[in-house]
Amino acid sequence: MADAPRGRIARWLAAVPTSAWIVVGAGAVLGISALFGGLDEADLSSKQPPVVAVDEPIVRDELTIAVHSAELSMVAPDYSFEPDEGMIYLLVEATVTNNYTTTAIGLDEALRLDGTEKPTTDRLARVVDGSSLPQANPGLPIGVVWVFQVPEDEVAPGDTVRVTVTAKSFTEDGDVTYGSYWSDPKPTAFVDVEVQG
């Protein structure tokens, strides 16, 4: 008698079409993957970073950045070299606040200039004194200028340039690494800035 219910279940399972089992199996794999964060990266890659207004703070784990202005100039702060022939400096000014517990260096990767041949900065300078290689100490806002070289005929006063603000990922100290560190900057927000002359 006990075999009768098992026989009915076996017949019912055999009657289910193969395509239905494929759908059930795929759903189970996706469900288990989601439990362990397997879909997190897919979700992030489908999201476009927001466009943020000038002067609005962009708060991320390591840094808070507020982009203030973009200005064309034939000279860069505390820098005696002229731009390359046919080029001009575009100076992008922002305030950076370090939200972490140790001094942040390598701020050059925090901003990129979209739509240009060379989106990375040529140099950085502190706003207060023009000195190079600014560092952001924990909790202290610092004014920083990113110096980009752009073709003279491609950017003019009144144009709008798009600045990409990046954010780094944190790697915790482990057996393989040598201390905790921030790395792998990815776009986290865009700021459209009107260029001053």
Side-chain angles (χ1 to χ4, degrees):
M1 291 293 247
D3 290 338
R6 274 189 265 176
R8 271 186 262 144
I9 292 172
R11 282 193 301 279
W12 179 82
L13 291 175
V16 176
T18 305
S19 59
W21 286 118
I22 292 172
V23 171
V24 169
V29 168
L30 284 173
I32 292 168
S33 176
L35 282 174
F36 293 99
L39 299 178
D40 289 353
E41 191 171 325
D43 290 342
L44 291 175
S45 65
S46 66
K47 293 179 184 173
Q48 185 73 347
V51 177
V52 175
V54 169
D55 296 326
E56 183 177 329
I58 300 161
V59 182
R60 298 299 182 258
D61 291 339
E62 182 190 21
L63 304 172
T64 295
I65 299 175
V67 177
H68 303 302
S69 64
E71 179 183 358
L72 291 171
S73 178
M74 290 303 292
V75 295
D78 197 36
Y79 196 53
S80 59
F81 295 101
E82 294 182 359
D84 296 340
E85 187 175 343
M87 306 291 275
I88 191 168
Y89 291 126
L90 180 67
L91 312 177
V92 177
E93 184 179 329
T95 299
V96 178
T97 304
N98 180 356
N99 301 324
Y100 192 54
T101 56
T102 59
T103 299
I105 58 174
L107 299 177
D108 54 324
E109 298 179 307
L111 295 187
R112 296 179 186 156
L113 189 62
D114 281 7
T116 59
E117 193 173 302
K118 186 175 178 279
T120 55
T121 185
D122 286 314
R123 69 186 303 270
L124 292 174
R126 289 192 337 162
V127 171
V128 68
D129 60 7
S131 61
S132 60
L133 303 175
Q135 299 178 359
N137 293 314
L140 298 175
I142 179 175
V144 180
V145 175
W146 280 257
V147 180
F148 300 93
Q149 281 198 68
V150 296
E152 285 183 295
D153 58 354
E154 284 188 15
V155 181
D159 289 351
T160 297
V161 293
R162 174 158 281 188
V163 175
T164 299
V165 178
T166 68
K168 295 180 181 178
S169 301
F170 184 69
T171 301
E172 190 76 49
D173 186 16
D175 295 335
V176 180
T177 63
Y178 298 97
S180 302
Y181 59 93
W182 297 90
S183 64
D184 194 24
K186 298 274 194 242
T188 190
F190 301 119
V191 183
D192 293 333
V193 190
E194 184 175 335
V195 177
Q196 306 302 310

